[in-house]
Each structure stands twice: as structure tokens, then as C-alpha cells.
Amino acid sequence: MDEPLHIYNHPATNPQSFETSILGISNIDGKYWIELEESYYYPAGGGQPADLGTLELSECSIPIIDVRKKETIIHEIMGDFTPDNLVGKQVVAHFDTERRNQLARMHTAQHLVSAVADELFSGTTIGNQIGTEKTRIDLGIIDREAFDKEALVDAVNSIIESKLIVSMDFQQRSELISNPLVRVNLDLLPKAIEELRVITIDGVDICPCAGSHVANTSEIGSIEIGRVKSKGAGKLRVEYSIVE
Ligand SMILES: [Zn+2]
């Protein structure tokens, strides 16, 4: 199965378990990776780590410890099993829901931090790494003196408290190009993709994104910015966490 089905689900919180079967298993550098008939797990990418979970079989359950998108979506498994016996088995696939929910909160907060940094300091997000405890965003800011940590935190938390709806749909690239709320450079996305999965935070941000997000900014909780450090001329790395 090469299509990541998680993209059709929004909000991404509290994902439902799903039934599927094991198509194949491969040993890559001593690790076992399985391919499922269908998968709703998020494969690591775009700065967001993979979903984790458990495959429940009639005779045992197998932890999923990583998910990657290669030619197909593959799931690293660990534990005590006989690989040859797994192919064709029916499974119920469960999520580590707490992890997914936290990543959805952190990821939605990343859209807000990036949008506010753009509004306040013309900061361009040039990279990010989302985590369950801490998330970091690398900003390109020509005038680093303009960066104001307190103003950034206050503006983001104020948007969160405004309880804005976070929605998902699929839009044509050509429709997005002229919208000022689209802050990413669409030219950086593969040209062959005309229809994009788009996350809209009402009135604040529109962003093509395949990641996991909450339904309303009020689900995020407040953010707190920790370290801000220089990553060279015109670049700052900003770390934030979520406080309840
Ligand atoms: Zn996103």
C-alpha cells in the first residue's frame, strides 16, 4: 500500500483503530518492517515524527516502533515473532493515541508560530522538528534585532485563546498562489502535484501540509518559548513547549 491514508482524516486527534492485513515483511539491516494492506499511520516526514502503535493479532500483539514512507509505507516492528508466519494475517491496528494527540497539538502550534513570526518579523520558516516535549523552528530573519520573543508568545497564545477553527481540504495549487495567508513558497513543492492538502487556521494561516492537526486552536494549550539561539547570519532557532 503506497497511499498514506492518514491525509484524509482531520482532525488527527484520537485516531480510530483500523482492521487490515499484513501484505509482506522485509528484513532491512536486521530490522523487520512490514507492509499493511492499508495504513492510517503517519510516516515520519515534514518535521513530524512517525506514529507509534500496536498490531493486534489473534495470538499476540506486536509493537510498531517506526513508520516510514519509501516506495510503500513500511512499519518497523519489534518483539518475539516468526516473520514467515505473519504474512496474510488479519490485524487490528491501534495507535499510541496520547503521542498522536500531543504531536497534533505541537504541529498546529508550529503553524501559528510560523505565521506570527512572518507577520511580526518577516521571519520565514526554513525548517522545523516537531516533538512531543519540545518543538524547534528555524527562522530566516534578515533583521534579527526585530525578533521579540515575548511579542511572539503573546500573539500565538492570543490566537490559541481565540478558539479558531482548524480545517482541512484539498485545493488546486493555482488557487493558492495569490492568497496572502499562504506563506510557504509553493515552488518548493513538487511541480507534479496540482492538488494539495491544505490546512487552514481561520483568518490566520493557510498551509499545504500532510501532517496531524487539532480541530480548534483552543485544544493546543498555551505555548512557552524556551531557548532562542543563533544558527548563523540571518537565522534563529526557536524552541517551544506546551504548558497546560
Ligand atoms: Zn501542518
Side-chain angles (χ1 to χ4, degrees):
M1 177 76 198
D2 58 1
E3 186 182 27
L5 296 174
H6 71 87
I7 63 168
Y8 298 106
N9 290 345
H10 175 79
T13 47
N14 301 314
Q16 297 295 302
S17 299
F18 57 96
E19 291 181 26
T20 186
S21 61
I22 296 177
L23 274 188
I25 182 161
S26 45
N27 185 329
I28 305 171
D29 299 331
K31 296 174 176 176
Y32 286 107
W33 296 81
I34 64 163
E35 186 184 346
L36 297 170
E37 176 84 36
E38 284 191 337
S39 179
Y40 289 85
Y41 290 111
Y42 185 84
Q48 183 180 324
D51 276 331
L52 305 182
T54 309
L55 296 178
E56 185 189 331
L57 287 78
S58 53
E59 62 274 34
C60 65
S61 52
I62 300 174
I64 291 179
I65 58 169
D66 198 3
V67 184
R68 300 276 159 173
K69 174 129 170 48
K70 303 287 184 187
E71 283 168 14
T72 61
I73 300 166
I74 51 174
H75 310 72
E76 187 185 355
I77 54 174
M78 61 175 288
D80 192 16
F81 50 81
T82 310
D84 291 345
N85 293 345
L86 292 178
V87 177
K89 293 265 170 136
Q90 292 294 311
V91 298
V92 182
H94 302 287
F95 289 84
D96 179 339
T97 303
E98 199 176 320
R99 173 184 170 87
R100 165 68 88 82
N101 289 354
Q102 182 65 5
L103 290 171
R105 294 166 76 208
M106 277 290 203
H107 190 141
T108 312
Q110 180 264 307
H111 286 230
L112 294 181
V113 174
S114 292
V116 170
D118 178 45
E119 287 291 325
L120 295 184
F121 329 117
S122 300
T124 306
T125 296
I126 49 181
N128 66 69
Q129 182 58 54
I130 291 155
T132 53
E133 302 291 324
K134 272 185 196 159
T135 291
R136 63 163 206 255
I137 300 182
D138 290 337
L139 293 173
I141 300 186
I142 293 167
D143 176 14
R144 287 202 332 197
E145 295 297 309
F147 181 82
D148 181 338
K149 178 170 153 177
E150 297 309 319
L152 180 59
V153 168
D154 289 349
V156 169
N157 285 334
S158 159
I159 295 171
I160 288 171
E161 286 162 20
S162 303
K163 300 185 167 62
L164 300 183
I165 291 169
V166 181
S167 58
M168 181 278 284
D169 62 354
F170 290 86
Q171 296 186 33
Q172 299 298 307
R173 177 194 290 262
S174 51
E175 290 172 34
L176 293 168
I177 281 171
S178 57
N179 193 317
L181 292 182
V182 179
R183 300 163 204 282
V184 296
N185 182 355
L186 295 173
D187 291 338
L188 298 177
L189 301 172
K191 292 273 186 293
I193 306 174
E194 177 53 32
E195 192 179 59
L196 299 166
R197 182 185 196 253
V198 176
I199 298 296
T200 300
I201 302 177
D202 207 9
V204 173
D205 188 56
I206 299 173
C207 187
C209 184
S212 305
H213 310 84
V214 297
N216 190 292
T217 58
S218 61
E219 294 170 50
I220 296 172
S222 308
I223 69 148
E224 197 171 66
I225 292 183
R227 275 194 306 182
V228 177
K229 65 180 182 186
S230 171
K231 291 298 286 177
K235 285 186 204 157
L236 287 177
R237 174 164 290 178
V238 177
E239 271 186 3
Y240 66 87
S241 52
I242 284 175
V243 286
E244 300 305 323

